[in-house]
Each structure stands twice: as structure tokens, then as C-alpha cells.
Amino acid sequence: MLRKKSLFAAFATCALLLSACSGNANDSKSGSGGASPSASTGAAEKPGSIELRMAWWGSQERHDKTLAVIEMFEKENPNIKITAEYSGMDGYFDKLNTQIAAGNAPDLIQMGGNIKEYVDRNALLDLQPYVGSVIKLEDFDQSLIDEATYDGKYYGVTLGVSQTGLLFNASMFNKAGVPLPNGESWTFDDFKNSALQISQNLGKGFYGAYDLSGDNASLSTYLAAYGKELYRDGELKFDKQDIVNWFTLWDELRQAGAIVPAEVQVANPPDAVDKSLTVKGQVAIQSASASQIFGYQDLTEDQLGLLPNPAGPAGNGMSPPISGQFITSYEGTKHPEEVAKFMDFMVNDPEAAAILGSTRGVPPSAKIRDVLSAQSTPVDKILYDYISLATKLSTGNGFEHFPFDNEFIKLLKVTSEKVAFGASSIDAASEEFMTEMQKLLAKAQ
């Protein structure tokens, strides 16, 4: 049980910091965390002091709350200073790759599903020596630990349990007179019908869905719903016709005016929370990581919700909930024990967890989840219920990331835009996509 006085102080700290950081509300913009450039480029440490650098991407809400937790940690550990290097998703890994190549990467690095790529590059620190003594994982499901374990070495602490899915605007469904989908049973035909009805009933400037043809999570679950996979055991588990079918599905909706036109989507990307047309009540469905619902709901009076991806002949196609993000360490850090100490603080300190909430997903520690559930909001309930539903619907087959995950994501997005803007036919774009995927596969091998 948290002491009331202590928890109040934690939230007061958070509130002060939120006020100080409120000037930048655009997720795509980077921040300095208030430190001078020299502080993040190896300035000499004072005797007895330890300076760490931490990099992450995310929304402004995530930035503010992470900064608040860093401040809490520094107050409890006055000999440790953590310089923040945060940004939007765009360019995050390009910058990190440059830093790694120069031997100047941050001590603490937020990672996603591409963690193995950096393990294979020997860029990440093995945390196994600190498990049990510094990093406590007793309340973590073993699957979350296994996701970051390779050849007996442990490289990343799960920051949040996540699941991809569809964020929907329930208020738009109601205005259009379209029944809300039943997440347990809805199919791709249901999805297409809902998108068509919403766009037709609400008229010009309103759309049933964003164009998700360039969304990697949506493609992966689509393939699984049709009995295929993106990748496993060193091989692609789909063929050109699967990609042709995928782009054809979205092109039919595009021609019917049921999804966002390419030029409108580029100007209002769904992953930029403050630009999302779902938040603005103009688009009913978009893709999202489940935990992102908080940031979106904060910006609209409309009621938002979460849905699993539609089912196909082979079922829903969703994998079990996974580690949404990890906190890792650069292999070249000079302060591995202090790095491990902060990692443990992020996931196991109740006051830190109360501030972070679900900004990176459902907390991985069972004890922390128990603490937060007692303070749950209606949006918390939507998230927790969705994670439970996704677990129930998942195929149980797991999911194996493509080795060059970032390159795949970029390739799919570029290919999608070529089709959407009419710069390439579906057949030619699909052929090019398969050729480039084979090149990436050969590079991985």
C-alpha cells in the first residue's frame, strides 16, 4: 500500500514537470530534456557523480511522465544524473544507428520489436548478471523475459505489455447509425461493410477507416488470418499473391471513398496523435498499439474504443500480447549497475508506476498491475479488457519479427503509398515488394 503522503508528492512532482513541458504538443518533434548539448556528448563527470543518457520515442504525454520519473529517481539517488534524449518515432533509429557507429550511444535505450537486430549487432548490454540482485523480475510472466533472452543472455526489461489492434471512434459509429462491431466475431467482410456504411451515411469528408495497407501490424495479422505468416525460421511465409490480395482489399475501399485518400493521410497521419482524424471525428477506425488509447482519448470528447483485427478463414490471426517496448542498455555503458538500478525503478517502484501508468502498455509486474487496478479509470478498463480479449482470441503461435524490422516497415509504407498515389499498379508494386523483401532476407542470412 502506498503511503498517501508519498504518492501525493510523486504526483505533485509530475504535475510541475507536466506544466514545464507543455509547450511541445507535437509527437513528431524532439526534445532535449532540458539539458545542454554538452551534457549528452560525454562532458566530464564531477567526482562522485554519475551521468547517464536515456533515449526514447513517443507522445508528449510519454515524454512528460518519463521526465517526471527520472526526476523522482534523481532525488532518491542524488549522485546520478540522467539526461533525456527523446523524440517522435521518425528518425529515432536512424539517429541511434549513427550513435552506435560512433561509439556514443545512450546508456539507456528504449527498444521495440527490433531488439534482436541490435542484439545481433552486439550493441546491447547483457543484463543477466543484474537479474535478481538489482533487477527484480519475480512478478513478470516468463514469456516476457523470454522475449528478450537470446542464447542465455537477457537484454531488455519489458516496460509494458502491449497488443496491436484497431482504435475506433464509437461516437462516429453511433452518428452514422452503424452498429458497433463485436470484437469476438467480426470478420474482414464486417470491417469493409462498416467502413462503407460510415462513409456513405456521414458524407463527404468522413471516412470509415484510415488506409491501413502500409501498416505492418495489420498486414501481419491479415496474413495469419489467412493461414500465412510474415516470417519464421529464416524464411518468408507468404507469396506475391498474398500481397496482391492485401493491396486489392484497400484499393477497393479507396475507390469507394471509404478510406482516407492518400494526400489527406500524409497530411494527417494516424500515429501523430494531435493530427489523427479519428480524434477529430472524421475517421472511424485506425491502427494503434492498445496502450495509445490514453493519448488519443485525452484529445477528444468522442468515445473511443479498441477492437482486434478482423478474422479470416484461419481465425483472428492475432498473436498473444507481447512486450510492447523494452528498456535496454548500450553495450559500451560505463555504468551498468546504475543503468540496471534505473530499469528496476521504472518497472517495480509503485510511485514511478503510478506516474507512468500505461503510457508504454499494461505494466509487466503483476503486483504493480494490482496497485494500478485499484485506481483504474474507464479508459484503463477498456485497455485491460482489450488485452484480455486479445489473449482469448490469439492463435497462440507467437510471432517472429522479421530480422530487419525497421527496413520492412519502411518498405511496406513506401509500397503502400506508391499504390495509393497511383504511382504504381498493384501487381508491379507487389512484385517490387517481394524482390526487396528477398534482398533483406538475404542480408539477414
Side-chain angles (χ1 to χ4, degrees):
M1 180 76 65
L2 294 175
R3 288 182 293 114
K4 292 183 179 179
K5 182 178 179 180
S6 181
L7 185 58
F8 176 82
F11 278 110
T13 298
C14 182
L16 288 172
L17 194 53
L18 286 171
S19 175
C21 297
S22 61
N24 179 7
N26 191 333
D27 182 33
S28 66
K29 295 180 181 179
S30 63
S32 65
S36 66
S38 63
S40 62
T41 55
E45 296 178 358
K46 297 178 181 179
S49 69
I50 292 172
E51 295 188 7
L52 305 176
R53 293 158 53 212
M54 178 179 174
W56 73 88
W57 76 86
S59 65
Q60 189 63 42
E61 179 192 23
R62 181 183 294 169
H63 300 335
D64 294 337
K65 292 185 176 182
T66 305
L67 290 169
V69 168
I70 287 174
E71 183 173 314
M72 281 181 60
F73 180 80
E74 289 176 337
K75 286 184 176 179
E76 293 186 15
N77 301 272
N79 65 315
I80 301 175
K81 169 69 177 176
I82 300 177
T83 299
E85 298 180 11
Y86 54 89
S87 68
M89 182 63 174
D90 289 347
Y92 176 85
F93 284 102
D94 292 335
K95 178 181 178 181
L96 178 61
N97 291 339
T98 300
Q99 291 174 321
I100 290 173
N104 187 38
D107 303 271
L108 291 145
I109 306 169
Q110 180 178 296
M111 281 281 168
N114 57 342
I115 184 173
K116 190 174 187 300
E117 176 184 337
Y118 290 85
V119 170
D120 290 343
R121 291 166 59 178
N122 298 315
L124 302 183
L125 178 71
D126 175 17
L127 302 171
Q128 193 61 49
Y130 305 97
V131 173
S133 58
V134 182
I135 302 173
K136 306 297 194 303
L137 302 177
E138 292 85 353
D139 296 315
F140 283 44
D141 291 337
Q142 186 61 41
S143 62
L144 300 178
I145 300 171
D146 293 343
E147 282 189 64
T149 301
Y150 301 94
D151 297 326
K153 296 181 179 180
Y154 179 63
Y155 291 97
V157 178
T158 296
L159 290 177
V161 180
S162 185
Q163 178 60 283
T164 57
L166 301 177
L167 180 78
F168 72 96
N169 187 316
S171 299
M172 281 190 68
F173 274 82
N174 293 331
K175 289 177 184 177
V178 177
L180 294 177
N182 181 339
E184 290 200 46
S185 61
W186 84 317
T187 66
F188 278 98
D189 285 339
D190 296 328
F191 167 76
K192 289 188 287 186
N193 290 335
S194 292
L196 287 165
Q197 290 177 41
I198 289 170
S199 61
Q200 291 169 357
N201 293 355
L202 294 182
K204 186 177 180 180
F206 295 91
Y207 306 95
Y210 266 99
D211 180 352
L212 304 184
S213 61
D215 181 67
N216 59 298
S218 295
L219 172 60
S220 296
T221 53
Y222 169 83
L223 291 173
Y226 282 84
K228 301 291 186 76
E229 285 186 284
L230 180 71
Y231 170 87
R232 190 172 290 277
D233 298 331
E235 298 179 355
L236 300 180
K237 296 297 183 179
F238 64 95
D239 55 33
K240 176 185 172 182
Q241 188 58 49
D242 297 313
I243 299 303
V244 169
N245 294 344
W246 172 249
F247 285 124
T248 299
L249 183 159
W250 294 100
D251 191 59
E252 290 175 351
L253 290 170
R254 184 181 301 113
Q255 299 305 322
I259 61 174
V260 180
E263 63 277 8
V264 176
Q265 183 149 324
V266 168
N268 302 274
D271 55 351
V273 181
D274 57 331
K275 294 183 178 181
S276 167
L277 296 179
T278 306
V279 165
K280 296 178 181 179
Q282 294 174 255
V283 178
I285 300 171
Q286 69 168 76
S287 62
S289 175
S291 61
Q292 290 179 305
I293 188 173
F294 295 96
Y296 287 94
Q297 188 65 77
D298 282 346
L299 295 181
T300 181
E301 295 295 322
D302 287 358
Q303 178 62 54
L304 304 183
L306 293 167
L307 282 168
N309 289 81
N316 175 269
M318 297 186 73
S319 298
I322 59 173
S323 298
Q325 287 164 10
F326 303 91
I327 185 67
T328 70
S329 178
Y330 176 45
E331 188 276 334
T333 182
K334 296 179 181 179
H335 306 289
E337 187 162 348
E338 287 74 17
V339 160
K341 187 175 183 179
F342 181 70
M343 290 177 174
D344 183 77
F345 184 79
M346 287 188 77
V347 297
N348 285 320
D349 183 274
E351 294 179 13
I355 290 177
L356 292 174
S358 298
T359 54
R360 288 179 171 88
V362 177
S365 165
K367 287 184 178 179
I368 294 298
R369 286 198 297 270
D370 289 343
V371 171
L372 295 187
S373 65
Q375 311 164 13
S376 63
T377 67
V379 182
D380 287 322
K381 188 176 188 310
I382 290 173
L383 175 60
Y384 294 160
D385 286 349
Y386 176 72
I387 294 295
S388 297
L389 176 60
T391 302
K392 177 181 177 180
L393 295 176
S394 67
T395 60
N397 294 330
F399 176 73
E400 189 171 344
H401 283 280
F402 190 72
F404 287 89
D405 202 47
N406 288 325
E407 285 84 347
F408 155 63
I409 291 171
K410 290 178 182 178
L411 174 62
L412 180 62
K413 183 178 180 181
V414 168
T415 308
S416 167
E417 290 178 350
K418 286 181 179 179
V419 174
F421 279 104
S424 178
S425 68
I426 290 176
D427 187 76
S430 299
E431 182 70 32
E432 182 181 4
F433 178 81
M434 295 301 297
T435 298
E436 294 302 315
M437 286 293 284
Q438 290 293 348
K439 289 180 181 178
L440 289 175
L441 191 64
K443 180 180 175 182
Q445 295 171 342

